[in-house]
Amino acid sequence: MNGEPLGTIFINACLINNFVLAYFLGICPFLGVSGKMETATRMGGAVTFVMLVTSVCAFGIQALLTALDAPYLRLISFIAVIASTVQLVEMFIKKVSPGLFRALGIFLPLITTNCAILGLALFQTNKGYGFVQCLVFALGAGAGFTLALVLMAGLREKLALAAIPDMVRGTALTLALAGFLSLAFMGFAGLGG
Amino acid sequence: MSAGQLPVAAPSGTWPMFRAMVGVGLACGLIIVSAYLGTKPRIEHNRAEALAAAIYDVLPGAVSSATFRWQEGAGFAPLTAESGGDARVHAGYDAEGRLVGVAIEAAGMGYQDVIHVLWGYSITEEAIVGLKVLESRETPGLGDRIEHDPAFLENFRRLDVSLADDGQALRHDVAAVKHGTKTNPWEIDSITGATISSKAIGSLLDASASVWAPRIQSGHESLEVKP
Amino acid sequence: MSGHPTPSTTDEFLKGLWRENPVFVQVLGMCPTLAVTNTARNALAMGLATLFVLVSSNLVVSALRRFIPKEVRIATFILVIATFVTVVDYVIQAISLDLHKALGAFIALIVVNCVILGRAEAFASKNGIRASVADGLGMGLGFAFALMCLGVVREILGSGTLFGFPVLPGRFQEWVMMILPSGGFFTLAGWLLLFNWRRQRNAVREEAS
């Protein structure tokens, strides 16, 4: 059991060790859908949601595997259960709330195999968090992901109007921007101490 | 495998799907379990070796070690396969089998992330006699100097953690002070440029020593003899 | 083997190495590319681990391609990939705990490396075993090569060493930033720029001739 206070866990997951800018998790959607502010916020919402679901699942799986004394099945069951749960949740939302489905819809399948999701499950297990700590960790990680995505979208919307040499346009520029954001986020270190 | 001759039907029935998933699942399970069993002795050997090396590092003079478990009311008992629990320490013994000291794992929030350390406690000197950072993600070049900086590690050659007269708490709080202002044996001389990391080490040692020093002083008889 | 005329095995091997390099050209598998390339040793280990998983999963997926109904193919692929990743995870722990600690959770995260699932889906499920293995080898080596490109630059500039051996004169002030996360972004951005520049120059030359 890990004795970290909940506030520290949240700040840690959201700012200090931001999943995108410090752990490089979820870079693919970060580069892919950070072009527009609106899609970025929706994607962030969808990822946070899936993270919460995953966190609960992973906590259950870990408890079960510890009881069975089968640590070698951890990875395979994480990925299988997470992928199927997200599909299930997707179908459920489609049925119950078409509005929400339209808002999150296309992003849900995209993020099933997003490394940030599996990363979250692995990190919370490695750190030995309890159930509430897991939920806070997932919320923090989701908030951090959304923050990074929204910041990036804001920068890119401005950049779309700037005169940039052709060669730099595209992924290279986005990556360099991410580098600066990552440097800026280093300023948050020490907050959790 | 005769799988090559099977016709590809579209859309597939339930049976082929079921067969494929179960077949692949079984095969995967078999591979994973054999890989786990095949590498297990080697991994356990590596782990034990790494732990032993760290213990000998923080307890100068120790050449063998044993792990003990603490239970409130019952004191220390040798750790066996079935007794789990997080409250454990590693006792180090010299060549003649005499108790040298106790190595204790501790963790606390650093600048970037949680720092895990192992520290050595000498029962006779009532002092920390060694420190090894097991895991940290402190800033390279600044905070991570807590791992290797010789002047900083010199602090832990003999850091006073003696108990107050009632035997329940430390006489003085362990704390990191500004570089060059260390005057008392229970203070840690910080590294310039790594103040937060140094302070983190100070506070995690203080917390861990406050818990373990009274326990060890009260129950060290059961640690004296190597099980 | 597959119905349409296939290019030679050597061709399948070479395309991943350079022309369709997974990192520099397809911009796939970014997470491990950036996360574990702070030293050349980590980059090499990660590259080799990914190479092994890629080749094995391509081999198995290609061998089973007629046996797996298309409705459950993604699920099966993920199972196969996760199996090999678990194997790699244990093998690395058996070889060196230090290395395992340095790579951390990123070994397990090979599972969600889009390059591997991408190759299983786009290539191995449609092609014969030989071509699939060649494709896996090429893509894997291309991936490892890209990781090394980043790892070498970041370690030399960030620590003044290469594989732990000092290579720069003692007076060199290390750019600590290069081994920090932001250094990963900048280095990759730099390499992509270089590739873009080459591509543009080639396009201009072709137009001129």
Side-chain angles (χ1 to χ4, degrees), chain B residues 12 24 28 39 46-47 134 140, chain C residues 69 71 76 83 93-94 101 176 180:
Chain B
S12 327
V24 171
C28 289
T39 52
N46 283 351
R47 285 224 175 103
L134 298 175
Chain C
E71 289 87 349
T76 326
T83 306
Q93 279 188 55
K101 215 163 83 180
V176 174
L180 295 176

Side-chain angles (χ1 to χ4, degrees), chain C residues 43-90:
Chain C
L44 183 64
M46 189 63 178
L48 291 181
T50 313
L51 172 71
F52 169 78
V53 176
L54 195 51
V55 172
S56 327
S57 77
N58 260 10
L59 173 72
V60 172
V61 165
S62 162
L64 296 178
R65 68 187 187 281
R66 300 204 187 147
F67 172 66
I68 301 169
K70 63 179 184 306
E71 289 87 349
V72 292
R73 65 175 197 285
I74 300 286
T76 326
F77 296 166
I78 290 181
L79 271 184
V80 170
I81 296 169
T83 306
F84 286 115
V85 173
T86 313
V87 171
V88 166
D89 192 59
Y90 282 119

Side-chain angles (χ1 to χ4, degrees), chain B residues 63-108:
Chain B
V63 292
S64 64
S65 71
T67 304
F68 286 85
R69 185 173 65 110
W70 166 266
Q71 250 180 336
E72 212 56 62
F76 288 102
L79 186 82
T80 51
E82 55 268 22
S83 61
D86 291 333
R88 57 178 72 171
V89 294
H90 313 282
Y93 303 91
D94 66 8
E96 278 89 56
R98 279 189 307 257
L99 182 63
V100 178
V102 184
I104 297 147
E105 281 174 54

Side-chain angles (χ1 to χ4, degrees), chain B residues 2 9 12 24 37 39 43 47 49-50 54 66 72 95 99 121 129-130 141 145 153 164 167 176 201 204 217 222:
Chain B
S2 63
S12 327
V24 171
L37 291 179
T39 52
I43 293 171
R47 285 224 175 103
E49 213 166 52
E72 212 56 62
L99 182 63
Y121 177 71
V129 289
R145 275 157 60 198
L153 292 179
I201 293 280
L204 78 87
Q217 286 299 343
S222 36

Side-chain angles (χ1 to χ4, degrees), chain B residues 170-192:
Chain B
L170 300 186
R171 196 186 302 268
H172 310 282
D173 286 343
V174 175
V177 295
K178 235 176 123 176
H179 180 65
T181 60
K182 169 174 171 149
T183 46
N184 299 309
W186 56 84
E187 285 171 346
I188 301 168
D189 195 8
S190 296
I191 305 175
T192 318

Side-chain angles (χ1 to χ4, degrees), chain A residues 48-121:
Chain A
T48 312
F49 176 72
V50 174
M51 276 182 169
L52 277 172
V53 176
T54 306
S55 181
V56 175
C57 288
F59 186 79
I61 297 172
Q62 182 60 24
L64 185 71
L65 290 185
T66 318
L68 291 175
D69 194 23
Y72 43 86
L73 287 182
R74 197 172 79 175
L75 184 61
I76 205 165
S77 40
F78 271 3
I79 188 86
V81 172
I82 291 167
S84 31
T85 318
V86 174
Q87 295 249 302
L88 212 68
V89 168
E90 190 191 338
M91 285 184 233
F92 180 75
I93 295 181
K94 199 173 181 179
K95 186 103 182 156
V96 176
S97 161
L100 184 64
F101 181 76
R102 267 196 302 279
L104 302 179
I106 37 165
F107 296 118
L108 276 178
L110 273 179
I111 53 194
T112 318
T113 51
N114 176 340
C115 29
I117 308 293
L118 185 65
L120 176 96

